[in-house]
Amino acid sequence: MVEPLSSSIGFLILNWAMIEACLDFNTAIIFHAAGGKHIDREIPMALKSKLKFLRRCFSQIDMLHPFADEAIGYLSRVQDLSQTRHAVVHGFASKYDGSHKDGERFLFVKLDLINGRTLHKSQEVWISGRKIVNDGVKCKELVTELTAFTKRFLKTYIPDHKDYEFLQ
């Protein structure tokens, strides 16, 4: 049970890192070369902030409109996959249920701060092993598409950039 869970989570996380790298590249391109400084004064760091910034930019900056529909589709997919990623990265597997009607599943628990960061509250979510595997595969597929998008986007707005090799 531990090895398949670890492998599945590892696969999801390795692919998620590349998704985040693409988001960072796209954020940097827009912020520095496509008018993003007029949307936000600071470069967003947290995933939720990056997604909000990118959506606003693709919706509001005219020069980005040729990429907007495709980009917003990718951002929606990232948002959908982020819930599983968030649970397995920030939580810990505290229980295993191998006899659930939908297959084996794991309870991930995370402590959050509430009340102005003066109190902890436990957040729990059950995730099936199948969902972790499937979301890892979806992350891998998204990496392939998002990397190609990011490369095209980079070539459009910063044609002489040195990091094309990174996006191979």
Side-chain angles (χ1 to χ4, degrees):
M1 171 189 69
V2 172
E3 189 174 316
L5 176 64
S6 298
S7 294
S8 298
I9 290 174
F11 185 70
L12 188 145
I13 299 307
L14 286 171
N15 284 291
W16 189 266
M18 189 63 184
I19 290 170
E20 286 266 6
C22 288
L23 293 176
D24 289 340
F25 261 94
N26 290 314
T27 297
I29 294 164
I30 291 171
F31 192 84
H32 295 291
K37 291 178 184 178
H38 302 292
I39 301 295
D40 261 327
R41 292 180 186 198
E42 294 182 354
I43 298 170
M45 294 301 296
L47 177 65
K48 188 183 250 185
S49 299
K50 278 186 250 186
L51 294 175
K52 182 179 177 183
F53 171 78
L54 291 167
R55 279 192 179 99
R56 286 178 60 207
C57 289
F58 281 109
S59 298
Q60 296 177 18
I61 299 174
D62 288 340
M63 70 187 311
L64 299 179
H65 284 176
F67 292 94
D69 290 341
E70 185 179 6
I72 290 170
Y74 293 136
L75 298 176
S76 294
R77 289 167 62 191
V78 169
Q79 181 67 45
D80 291 344
L81 292 165
S82 71
Q83 295 169 12
T84 302
R85 178 262 176 206
H86 187 77
V88 302
V89 167
H90 297 291
F92 62 94
S94 70
K95 289 184 184 174
Y96 169 76
D97 179 358
S99 60
H100 191 265
K101 64 180 175 65
D102 295 326
E104 61 185 1
R105 64 187 188 145
F106 304 87
L107 180 65
F108 286 87
V109 178
K110 176 183 178 289
L111 289 179
D112 284 325
L113 294 173
I114 59 171
N115 291 348
R117 296 183 179 209
T118 61
L119 185 64
H120 284 94
K121 180 179 179 184
S122 175
Q123 300 290 328
E124 299 179 348
V125 61
W126 283 98
I127 304 176
S128 72
R130 185 176 301 120
K131 179 160 181 57
I132 295 169
V133 169
N134 289 344
D135 282 1
V137 170
K138 289 177 184 176
C139 281
K140 176 62 177 157
E141 293 167 351
L142 183 56
V143 163
T144 301
E145 295 172 44
L146 194 52
T147 301
F149 173 85
T150 302
K151 187 174 181 179
R152 284 187 287 116
F153 196 62
L154 183 60
K155 282 185 176 182
T156 299
Y157 293 101
I158 309 174
D160 298 325
H161 199 276
K162 63 179 175 55
D163 283 328
Y164 290 123
E165 300 80 39
F166 168 76
L167 297 168
Q168 297 301 322

